[in-house]
Amino acid sequence: MATIHVDGKEYDVNGSENLLQACLSLGIDIPYFCWHPSLGSVGSCRQCAVKQYANADDKRGRLVMSCMTPASNDTYISIEDDEAKEFRASVVEFLMTNHPHDCPVCEEGGHCHLQDMTVMTGHDRRRYRFTKRTHHNQELGSFIAHEMNRCIACYRCVRYYKDYAGGTDLGVYGNASRVYFGRPESGALESEFSGNLTEICPTGVFTDKTHSERYNRKWDMQYAPSICHGCASGCNISPGERYGELRRIENRFNGDVNQYFLCDKGRFGAGYVNREDRPRQPQFRTTSQVTMVSVDQALDAVIDKLNGRKILGIGSPRASIESNVALKSWVGSMRYSTGMAKHEQKMVELVASIFQTEGIYTPSLRDIEAHDAVLILGEDLTQTAPRMALAVRQAAKNKAKAMAAKARTPEWLAEPVLRIGQDEKSPIYIAAATHTRLTDVATGEVVASAHDIALLGFAIANAIEGRQSRGLDAETLAFAEQIAHVLKTANKPLIISGTSLQDASLIEAAAQIAQALPNKAGLSLVLPEVNSMGVTLLGGLSLEDAFHEDYDALVIVENDLYRRLPKALIDQVLAKAKDVIVLDHSETETVKQADVVLSAASFAEGDGTVVSQEGRAQRYYQVYDSSYYRPEDAIKESWRWLHAIATGIQKRPIEWRVLDDVIDYTVKNIPVLNAIQDVAPDAGYRVHGLKIAREPRRYSGRTAMRSALSVHEPKQPSDLDSALTFSMEGFVGSQNAASLVPFAWAPGWNSPQSWNKYQDEVGGHLKGGDSGIRLFDRLPKRAARQYVAPAAEHTTAQRFRLFPMHHIFASGEFTIHTPAMQSRLPEPVLTMSQQDASRLNIRDGQEIKIRSQKHEIYLKVSVLDYVPEGHLGYPIGLAPTVSFLEPIDILIGGAA
């Protein structure tokens, strides 16, 4: 700690911080542009100037940049000094000489950091009367719009894109007043994290192009605290709605999870919510006709169809815990399926078991950034858990930070730390089935089959424990010894693996290494979907086991079975049922086969709880009520539909009227999930007697929004399920629970930088603690156990093994249905090694047919040098669902 004196007042602050960060943490406003909590200080904008004095008696002082000055003990500064204020105003005026002053038409208007800082400095007159510098803008793809004339040369964009996110195709060009931030030539930004430029940039140079198509100001959107459904990382988001459409997704700060950044899948991948072809009303379906019906007609028909039937209920890892609980409580444990294929479910159950093992530590995403040695087994993280990949990229910088610390250079001095560290990186070792996007930070990388990667993992564990490994060549054993030595000597090692290659031995190898390390190692395991962990903890049959049960009716909740198992099998399963009832929010292949479709809520229209891959339970909330804008819509959470059907069949009254009722039932009846009651406050929560407002104070046009329906403004929808209101009448501020903060705003701070006002210290954690409860921290521990290396894999020259190839945009179930993603989807191809292609006389781009007992599929071939021999990479999400457990034959291309 250190004591500083600001304008005659004494404060205790963190002495390791700079003055800017220390003052912002105290709630004292100092304007700034180039500084960012995640990027550190470079002192390029000169906007944060303050007057520093040598001691209490010094009356003269000198101007210093607060972002470049340590908050050391007995520091005396003045923010309100006239010279400092005049200097800051002159800096803004200089920065604005070439700015177009186009706030009324700028898409950043209303949440612009430049606007906030200009007002904060008091600058309100433009004296520059000459021709302004102008630039040509670039086409940067379907996500980001470029307006270079608004640039104030703060360098934040390139520092984030290159130094933080590892992008290589955006830089700074030119010099003096002609400096230019962009790509060498027009083209889509290649980084999977490019969307963060829209929040990193303090002006309107980089804006959200997906929002441009249906633009509105920030203050005219309705928000809710929510969780990204794109993967299992559990990133916090603020979805914004206008006119019953999801308009934009912004980052919602969580100090333990995503902090300030999202991946592009999470930011731009929710356009499927707005699709016109999604079920918005209950439907009766036949092979030739779809008939829209009312809620009562649908419920009466479903209750009549299912009364007396043997019902098989199929849940889903993309549905909330509440919806899965509602289904399981109705049909019973022996007739409820988790909705996962057997092999996938076994792997997730293995992960849950490992996380409950004594001595296993599972870090949060933020914790990953602090590890000084990382081993990744079998995961292409940028494609399967992108936010984790970004965290690993920060972990690679820890060696440079340690070198700077030895030189007594603070971590927040960004440029000196880079110079001291040069190209030194903390050791990152990657073993994957393809080259990954983390290659540039990898100390060593090997491309191999999942089986061989698992053998390498067990060899590393053996080397750590001083045991011999058999059946491996000398080069592999030497590599294993090298990695083992690095992990043993690291202060904070981390092992990452997961389910993406669908091989449980990879997970077991990672757990064995974590257990073998003498120092406390972190273990992170990647899961497939947003609630894979939650539905696994709830428990149920796998799909294959459930299909063996005797049934004559199927109730399928938010699950496309055709993405789980081969088409032929699912066709048989659906044909066996006399009635197929599907609850979903999108038009899937399973929905097309339903007799009755019940219009379920997406994450934007319903509330629910999900559990991330680290075991963090978090709650998402309804953003808007679609029936307010479209009275014909009848969209309800799946648990509401299911409870109404169950009580109708059982002829008992409705018991679950609000979300808290379902949570109470879960807590009382499912002990492993009883901590979900602490995830967020219940619907009775109030701040100063007020519910939390979903809309900013300046929200406007409410009457006009429904003018096509009525010129009279009706009462806003009531939300009985949460402590949130569908209006701006309510509490807005940082004093409420972190899990209920819909958006960030503070007086004078309209931009994303307003998250500073919600944090215990700037860049730290949210006041009162970050959102979410880590379930495994509360569950009893099991005794550690040993894992066994897999048996030798037998292959032949004529038979191949498929392995999954994931793509950040293509592998998601709904991102491929989002318009902005269409131009970013790759062509579906099989990847094959150069050796196999030469042996079979197959050319790059040639179409071949692969066949197994269950599949016969035509796809083009992409020949790559690094693919393991005897293996074919199969494009997940872009081609029919296949089994990866059986070998396949190539029938076209020179071999039978």
Side-chain angles (χ1 to χ4, degrees):
M1 297 295 291
T3 299
I4 65 171
H5 305 264
V6 182
D7 288 312
K9 296 182 180 179
E10 184 177 296
Y11 301 95
D12 290 328
V13 299
N14 184 345
S16 64
E17 297 173 348
N18 58 58
L19 284 173
L20 173 60
Q21 187 169 2
C23 289
L24 291 174
S25 297
L26 292 169
I28 301 171
D29 290 344
I30 299 177
Y32 63 91
F33 288 118
C34 66
W35 179 82
H36 187 278
S38 294
L39 305 180
S41 305
V42 290
S44 65
C45 72
R46 323 305 288 171
Q47 183 61 71
C48 64
V50 297
K51 180 71 74 70
Q52 183 180 17
Y53 301 94
N55 50 52
D57 298 324
D58 183 6
K59 303 301 181 185
R60 183 175 181 182
R62 62 191 180 100
L63 288 178
V64 298
M65 301 306 118
S66 58
C67 76
M68 301 293 289
T69 307
S72 51
N73 198 41
D74 282 336
T75 296
Y76 291 81
I77 63 170
S78 173
I79 300 170
E80 298 302 321
D81 176 81
D82 289 342
E83 184 183 5
K85 290 168 68 175
E86 290 172 8
F87 182 85
R88 294 196 295 266
S90 69
V91 169
V92 166
E93 184 177 19
F94 173 73
L95 292 175
M96 296 292 283
T97 52
N98 286 300
H99 193 83
H101 289 206
D102 59 346
C103 299
V105 297
C106 176
E107 294 187 14
E108 196 77 1
H111 66 141
C112 174
H113 186 60
L114 176 61
Q115 285 181 331
D116 290 347
M117 299 301 97
T118 303
V119 172
M120 190 178 292
T121 59
H123 172 65
D124 59 1
R125 294 290 184 274
R126 179 162 68 101
R127 295 183 291 175
Y128 185 72
R129 293 291 181 267
F130 308 99
T131 303
K132 293 197 174 192
R133 172 208 63 207
T134 57
H135 293 289
H136 291 291
N137 301 321
Q138 291 182 321
E139 171 57 43
L140 298 180
S142 59
F143 298 158
I144 304 291
H146 190 227
E147 178 50 77
M148 185 56 206
N149 292 318
R150 297 173 183 148
C151 182
I152 60 171
C154 71
Y155 286 83
R156 260 201 200 179
C157 59
V158 292
R159 291 176 58 222
Y160 160 74
Y161 196 87
K162 296 177 69 175
D163 299 341
Y164 192 92
T168 58
D169 60 317
L170 183 141
V172 55
Y173 307 96
N175 62 1
S177 64
R178 304 298 301 179
V179 71
Y180 188 91
F181 297 86
R183 300 182 82 247
E185 58 185 12
S186 289
L189 288 167
E190 296 170 3
S191 172
E192 293 82 0
F193 308 97
S194 63
N196 294 307
L197 290 171
T198 63
E199 295 187 22
I200 280 289
C201 177
T203 72
V205 176
F206 301 99
T207 54
D208 186 338
K209 187 180 285 188
T210 65
H211 186 209
S212 302
E213 298 168 4
R214 301 278 287 168
Y215 181 74
N216 56 271
R217 295 297 188 195
K218 174 181 179 176
W219 63 73
D220 278 336
M221 278 193 285
Q222 182 167 243
Y223 299 88
S226 193
I227 306 299
C228 176
H229 279 48
C231 73
S233 295
C235 295
N236 289 207
I237 57 173
S238 288
E241 168 269 343
R242 181 77 170 174
Y243 286 104
E245 296 176 341
L246 206 57
R247 293 289 178 85
R248 184 171 68 195
I249 287 180
E250 295 178 277
N251 184 73
R252 187 164 67 98
F253 186 87
N254 185 315
D256 275 339
V257 189
N258 48 294
Q259 299 177 75
Y260 290 98
F261 304 120
L262 298 172
C263 74
D264 288 354
K265 181 180 183 179
R267 188 179 293 274
F268 303 114
Y272 65 89
V273 173
N274 299 329
R275 288 180 67 100
E276 287 299 321
D277 62 354
R278 57 171 293 198
R280 294 180 177 273
Q281 300 165 256
Q283 302 170 353
F284 292 163
R285 290 194 174 215
T286 64
T287 53
S288 59
Q289 190 175 5
V290 177
T291 304
M292 305 296 178
V293 295
S294 69
V295 171
D296 289 340
Q297 286 176 305
L299 288 175
D300 290 343
V302 171
I303 290 170
D304 184 58
K305 283 175 178 288
L306 298 183
N307 200 4
R309 298 281 197 195
K310 297 175 183 176
I311 305 166
L312 178 62
I314 299 177
S316 172
R318 65 170 164 90
S320 68
I321 284 178
E322 290 80 3
S323 294
N324 281 285
V325 165
L327 180 61
K328 186 175 183 179
S329 66
W330 167 31
V331 301
S333 299
M334 300 310 298
R335 308 193 68 83
Y336 164 78
S337 169
T338 61
M340 291 187 282
K342 189 171 187 175
H343 186 61
E344 178 183 323
Q345 181 165 326
K346 282 185 175 181
M347 287 192 296
V348 183
E349 288 172 347
L350 174 62
V351 171
S353 174
I354 289 171
F355 283 169
Q356 294 176 69
T357 300
E358 192 69 43
I360 293 294
Y361 160 66
T362 307
S364 67
L365 279 178
R366 184 173 189 147
D367 287 339
I368 287 173
E369 298 181 3
H371 287 263
D372 59 349
V374 181
L375 170 63
I376 302 172
L377 288 178
E379 286 293 322
D380 185 356
L381 285 181
T382 310
Q383 314 307 324
T384 60
R387 189 58 187 81
M388 186 182 291
L390 193 60
V392 169
R393 191 172 286 279
Q394 309 322 306
K397 301 171 184 174
N398 286 326
K399 185 171 183 179
K401 292 177 182 177
M403 293 169 65
K406 286 184 179 179
R408 297 185 178 181
T409 300
E411 185 180 313
W412 45 264
L413 280 173
E415 289 301 316
V417 171
L418 279 175
R419 287 196 298 273
I420 292 170
Q422 296 295 317
D423 294 325
E424 293 292 328
K425 296 181 177 64
S426 296
I428 310 287
Y429 288 93
I430 304 173
T434 64
H435 280 314
T436 73
R437 299 277 282 174
L438 291 173
T439 300
D440 59 311
V441 296
T443 306
E445 183 179 38
V446 61
V447 176
S449 67
H451 178 269
D452 289 344
I453 294 170
L455 291 179
L456 173 65
F458 279 102
I460 295 168
N462 287 339
I464 292 170
E465 296 177 324
R467 298 199 305 264
Q468 291 293 319
S469 297
R470 302 182 185 278
L472 297 176
D473 58 73
E475 186 179 359
T476 302
L477 289 174
F479 190 52
E481 290 280 358
Q482 176 187 343
I483 297 173
H485 174 73
V486 168
L487 294 176
K488 280 198 298 184
T489 55
N491 293 319
K492 200 172 182 182
L494 172 67
I495 319 300
I496 298 174
S497 190
T499 63
S500 69
L501 289 185
Q502 301 196 17
D503 193 325
S505 60
L506 287 168
I507 300 169
E508 293 180 340
Q512 190 67 45
I513 296 170
Q515 287 183 175
L517 286 167
N519 41 354
K520 190 175 183 181
L523 177 65
S524 286
L525 299 173
V526 177
L527 299 184
E529 298 183 65
V530 62
N531 201 26
S532 293
M533 184 59 77
V535 77
T536 297
L537 291 175
L538 176 61
L541 302 172
S542 68
L543 285 175
E544 291 94 326
D545 289 340
F547 294 156
H548 290 312
E549 297 293 319
D550 184 24
Y551 64 89
D552 48 23
L554 281 173
V555 177
I556 304 169
V557 177
E558 299 181 44
N559 201 333
D560 185 3
L561 301 185
Y562 287 97
R563 288 183 58 90
R564 307 283 175 187
L565 292 169
K567 181 179 185 301
L569 174 59
I570 299 304
D571 285 342
Q572 293 175 10
V573 168
L574 296 179
K576 177 182 172 183
K578 294 182 176 65
D579 295 294
V580 178
I581 315 299
V582 178
L583 296 79
D584 215 329
H585 53 68
S586 296
E587 183 80 357
T588 68
E589 292 302 312
T590 302
V591 165
K592 293 176 183 177
Q593 304 301 317
D595 299 308
V596 179
V597 177
L598 300 179
S599 43
S602 69
F603 76 93
E605 300 133 345
D607 309 317
T609 308
V610 291
V611 182
S612 73
Q613 59 201 18
E614 68 166 287
R616 183 183 298 272
Q618 299 183 98
R619 193 154 299 142
Y620 62 90
Y621 290 96
Q622 184 177 1
V623 184
Y624 62 98
D625 183 348
S626 64
S627 64
Y628 181 74
Y629 308 97
R630 302 167 58 142
E632 69 275 13
D633 282 5
I635 295 173
K636 302 180 183 299
E637 293 103 326
S638 292
W639 65 263
R640 291 188 192 276
W641 286 114
L642 294 167
H643 186 63
I645 296 168
T647 53
I649 292 174
Q650 296 161 5
K651 295 181 171 53
R652 58 187 176 88
I654 295 285
E655 297 170 354
W656 296 350
R657 298 185 180 277
V658 295
L659 183 70
D660 289 336
D661 294 335
V662 198
I663 294 172
D664 290 343
Y665 173 89
T666 304
V667 168
K668 291 174 183 175
N669 294 278
I670 307 168
V672 73
L673 293 174
N674 63 18
I676 70 168
Q677 66 182 333
D678 300 326
V679 167
D682 61 22
Y685 177 81
R686 299 291 185 271
V687 179
H688 303 308
L690 300 173
K691 297 185 81 171
I692 311 303
R694 281 181 170 91
E695 299 167 357
R697 286 281 183 259
R698 291 184 289 173
Y699 193 90
S700 63
R702 217 153 57 187
T703 304
M705 290 168 69
R706 295 184 83 256
S707 59
L709 301 175
S710 171
V711 296
H712 304 287
E713 181 185 355
K715 179 180 179 292
Q716 287 295 104
S718 297
D719 186 358
L720 302 178
D721 289 301
S722 76
L724 298 156
T725 66
F726 289 110
S727 74
M728 60 183 170
E729 289 82 26
F731 180 80
V732 176
S734 61
Q735 287 76 33
N736 60 314
S739 56
L740 291 177
V741 177
F743 57 88
W745 176 88
W749 295 82
N750 299 285
S751 78
Q753 304 306 307
S754 53
W755 282 112
N756 296 344
K757 299 295 184 180
Y758 290 74
Q759 297 163 348
D760 53 6
E761 62 176 358
V762 175
H765 299 270
L766 293 176
K767 294 176 180 177
D770 295 307
S771 173
I773 297 293
R774 283 167 53 99
L775 299 183
F776 294 116
D777 291 347
R778 299 191 175 191
L779 295 177
K781 295 298 182 181
R782 304 171 181 174
R785 63 186 179 93
Q786 293 294 306
Y787 302 93
V788 180
E793 187 176 48
H794 299 288
T795 59
T796 68
Q798 301 302 324
R799 308 210 76 186
F800 286 75
R801 288 278 181 181
L802 294 178
F803 68 89
M805 290 197 72
H806 298 263
H807 187 276
I808 181 174
F809 304 134
S811 299
E813 182 172 355
F814 298 115
T815 49
I816 58 176
H817 299 301
T818 295
M821 294 291 179
Q822 299 306 307
S823 63
R824 306 300 297 271
L825 301 180
E827 181 184 12
V829 294
L830 288 165
T831 56
M832 174 183 284
S833 71
Q834 183 65 61
Q835 295 89 335
D836 286 331
S838 299
R839 178 171 56 84
L840 299 175
N841 194 27
I842 294 175
R843 302 181 310 277
D844 189 72
Q846 179 179 346
E847 188 175 77
I848 66 172
K849 178 166 69 173
I850 60 172
R851 187 178 71 182
S852 69
Q853 293 180 350
K854 301 175 182 176
H855 319 290
E856 193 170 282
I857 299 168
Y858 287 89
L859 280 174
K860 289 183 179 180
V861 168
S862 173
V863 179
L864 299 175
D865 291 336
Y866 55 77
V867 175
E869 287 188 61
H871 291 77
L872 295 174
Y874 191 80
I876 296 293
L878 293 173
T881 302
V882 298
S883 170
F884 293 93
L885 302 180
E886 55 186 20
I888 61 98
D889 297 306
I890 296 178
L891 298 184
I892 296 177

